[in-house]
Amino acid sequence: MSAPELVKSNKMFGGWVRKYRHQSTELGCEMVFSVFFPPAAAVQGAKVPVVWYLSGLTCTDDNFIQKAGAQRRAAELGLALIAPDTSPRGLGVEGEDDGWDFGTGAGFYVDATADKWKQYRMYSMGGHGALVLALKNPSAFKSVSAFAPICNPTQVPWGKKAFAGYLGDGWQEEGKAYDATELVRGYSGPQLPVLMDTGLDDEFLKTQLHPWAFEEAAKGKLQLTSRMNEGYDHSYFTIASFVSDHLDFHAQYLLASGPRI
């Protein structure tokens, strides 16, 4: 990976929102990501804890940075926020822009194995991606949280379409490696603290999200708090409403120790 190049910088709540671009050797294209550096990071030699935010379907790093309103609380707590993009862009793969839920902006961050999509190698996407990364790498994280995650993708339309496309004929089995419910069933690591927020008025709750599947599978394996919020939907209005709760949650575990930049 080439050294990141600063694209723009905006002061916010005493800290700085900075957008970077770099040439990704893994994906074979230019990629971007955004970082919020809290005021505490400006002190010479200071290092601050990091919260990673993985955006979901159709999003870029800008969605969270511009819509969630997370920087005020992050500045107060002294947390850095890092928001990567959701998929490669501009690869010229036939069909990459044919649908909103597959291809550009919808990489699911899987390490694709189907030849046509082999440059789509980004591991896991959105709230579901946060769960997958934590379950597969529990020693790398102090805590994990998610907004309206796709909890059991091998069993719902979004996941079936994505996995069949990116993983090919063996997607039913390979897809389990990107399915948080399947992963937690076989999980034997530390009982990570997990916070999930889902809206009861989320239009995708019954057809795509299935938080109850993850809740059942995670019993006795994680310190899971799963909140179902009346009146809230699948939008950044919901994320903005609860993002401070999530930062406070992570601060409990990160401020004592954790990865710092």
Side-chain angles (χ1 to χ4, degrees), residues 10 28 33 44 60 88 114 116 131 156 162 185 210-211 227 250 253:
N10 299 95
F33 63 93
Q44 187 172 4
T60 71
K116 181 178 178 180
L131 298 176
V156 300
R185 285 188 180 126
H210 295 196
R227 306 190 301 193
H250 292 300
Y253 308 99

Side-chain angles (χ1 to χ4, degrees), residues 3 34 78 89 98 136 159 162 165 183 192 201 203-204 212 220 225:
S34 291
R89 295 177 188 272
D98 287 354
K136 296 178 80 168
L183 287 171
L192 285 168
D201 282 14
E203 59 269 44
F204 304 113
W212 47 84
T225 300

Side-chain angles (χ1 to χ4, degrees), residues 44-67:
Q44 187 172 4
K47 292 185 177 182
V48 297
V50 177
V51 174
W52 292 81
Y53 183 85
L54 304 180
S55 292
L57 283 170
T58 75
C59 294
T60 71
D61 56 311
D62 286 335
N63 291 83
F64 175 71
I65 291 298
Q66 296 179 11
K67 294 181 178 181

Side-chain angles (χ1 to χ4, degrees), residues 15 56 66 70 94 109-110 118-119 131 164-166 194 196 201 205 207 224 253:
Q66 296 179 11
E94 182 185 359
Y109 291 177
V110 300
K118 62 185 177 181
Q119 286 178 269
L131 298 176
Y166 295 130
V194 181
M196 287 177 17
D201 282 14
L205 175 60
T207 57
L224 173 62
Y253 308 99

